Amino acid sequence: RFKKKLRVQPSKTPQRHETPTFWTTMNMSVSGTRSTMKKRFVNLLGRGHNTQSGPVFGVPLTKSKKLPLVLAKSIEYFDEKGVEHEGLFRVSAQVTDVKALVEKFDSGEEVQLSENDPHVVSNVLKLYFRNLPEPLLTYELYDCFLAAGGLAKENLVATKSSLLLLPPSHFRVVKALMGLLHKVSEKAHVNKMTA
């Protein structure tokens, strides 16, 4: 599996003028750009996002200490493709395309989002959050967030306090999602996502 993912090939012995690196020390070389290699290596180690096999949709966030695969892959996709598409989270996508992508995630297949339309990816991400057994901001803290929204001057402080009460897995996802939505709001003049 390691060899297949990283396209690892036996390497020549390092020459005197070469500085031994991890790959030469391990008697291997890796093809690909530096960022591609980093992504592959991080994915192999299981850092960054959840690489679980089995269902992804409808699984509680507390089941993992990593970002959900759907969210991590979506953030990666929008970092590459950009968030300039008009109506990014408002426009509906083809239901068959969304279902096909959901089935790929749930079957544990390797999912390549780069082949998909941005609206399909955003619809899958919305569906993922809609199918969570417990809301992202949790039933238990619902009243706290509701009260924080009603306060005028103390709104930001109350919201931050409520966020700190979230379970760590929920807080991690909120933080990552807000980062993505912040990028979307920065391009509101192009993508028309103002509200």
Side-chain angles (χ1 to χ4, degrees):
R1 180 177 173 186
F2 186 75
K3 288 183 180 183
K4 183 179 178 186
K5 279 233 179 210
L6 287 177
R7 291 181 266 166
V8 177
Q9 303 150 348
S11 173
K12 61 182 171 70
T13 309
Q15 302 297 321
R16 288 182 187 196
H17 65 277
E18 294 180 74
T19 307
T21 63
F22 171 77
W23 298 109
T24 56
T25 308
M26 296 299 291
N27 197 27
M28 300 174 193
S29 65
V30 180
S31 59
T33 64
R34 178 180 228 119
S35 64
T36 306
M37 291 181 343
K38 180 182 175 189
K39 285 179 189 174
R40 289 179 187 158
F41 193 69
V42 167
N43 287 343
L44 273 175
L45 292 176
R47 294 184 191 152
H49 58 77
N50 194 353
T51 56
Q52 72 185 30
S53 60
V56 175
F57 284 76
V59 176
L61 292 174
T62 53
K63 291 279 184 187
S64 175
K65 294 184 182 207
K66 300 173 185 172
L67 276 183
L69 185 61
V70 176
L71 178 59
K73 290 270 190 181
S74 298
I75 290 171
E76 200 175 282
Y77 173 86
F78 289 120
D79 282 346
E80 285 179 22
K81 299 283 185 177
V83 291
E84 292 86 13
H85 307 279
E86 189 171 332
L88 187 60
F89 285 96
R90 186 179 58 247
V91 174
S92 295
Q94 289 289 326
V95 175
T96 54
D97 295 341
V98 172
K99 282 184 179 179
L101 199 51
V102 167
E103 287 174 7
K104 270 188 174 181
F105 274 113
D106 274 344
S107 69
E109 287 182 46
E110 178 64 31
V111 179
Q112 294 298 326
L113 293 182
S114 59
E115 305 160 358
N116 291 285
D117 179 71
H119 295 103
V120 172
V121 176
S122 64
N123 278 240
V124 168
L125 184 60
K126 290 190 304 184
L127 185 62
Y128 172 78
F129 286 111
R130 203 174 301 130
N131 287 342
L132 284 174
E134 182 174 27
L136 187 56
L137 300 179
T138 72
Y139 293 119
E140 185 181 343
L141 296 173
Y142 176 78
D143 291 329
C144 292
F145 284 104
L146 198 60
L151 301 173
K153 290 183 180 179
E154 302 87 13
N155 187 345
L156 188 59
V157 174
T159 302
K160 281 183 180 179
S161 299
S162 299
L163 286 171
L164 292 174
L165 295 173
L166 284 171
S169 53
H170 287 248
F171 182 80
R172 190 178 312 108
V173 171
V174 167
K175 186 176 178 182
L177 181 62
M178 289 303 128
L180 173 62
L181 294 178
H182 177 71
K183 290 176 188 175
V184 171
S185 70
E186 286 179 327
K187 300 290 183 178
H189 62 283
V190 179
N191 61 32
K192 309 282 194 266
M193 294 296 299
T194 54

